Amino acid sequence: MAKVPAAAVAAGGLIGGYGMARWTKKRQLGGVVLAAAGATAAQQWRRQAGGKAAGALTVAYVAAFAGSHPLAKKVGAWPSVFGVAGAVALASWAVADRRA
């Protein structure tokens, strides 16, 4: 079975979390998706790049989530979510996934 890169898990968590919250109108469900994907990605980051890198990437993941809100007021919700998801995916690839 092929391993899903942590970059895809993290980006999918940001996009899927927002999509779930928007389509179900239940923010808590979006939070569950966001948290589950973040925890899964953090475990992969720790295995692939170590604890410090995993901590930094987890901070970036949470910052991307938080930063998407004010960014959405300027560019729209979906462009904001896709933008921060792409940024987190790029950081994940650069720090952890390209080593694996």
Side-chain angles (χ1 to χ4, degrees):
M1 181 174 183
K3 185 179 121 199
V4 176
V9 173
L14 289 161
I15 295 166
Y18 175 70
M20 178 68 76
R22 181 175 174 125
W23 289 317
T24 65
K25 306 220 185 303
K26 305 256 187 241
R27 295 178 78 180
Q28 299 86 347
L29 290 177
V32 168
V33 171
L34 182 78
T40 301
Q43 287 178 357
Q44 287 184 253
W45 292 328
R46 190 174 352 98
R47 273 195 311 271
Q48 293 171 350
K52 286 185 182 182
L57 288 167
T58 300
V59 167
Y61 183 78
V62 173
F65 167 70
S68 70
H69 292 81
L71 182 60
K73 293 179 194 272
K74 296 180 187 226
V75 299
W78 280 112
S80 173
V81 170
F82 286 131
V84 300
V88 168
L90 181 61
S92 176
W93 177 82
V95 173
D97 290 333
R98 72 180 172 152
R99 297 178 183 194

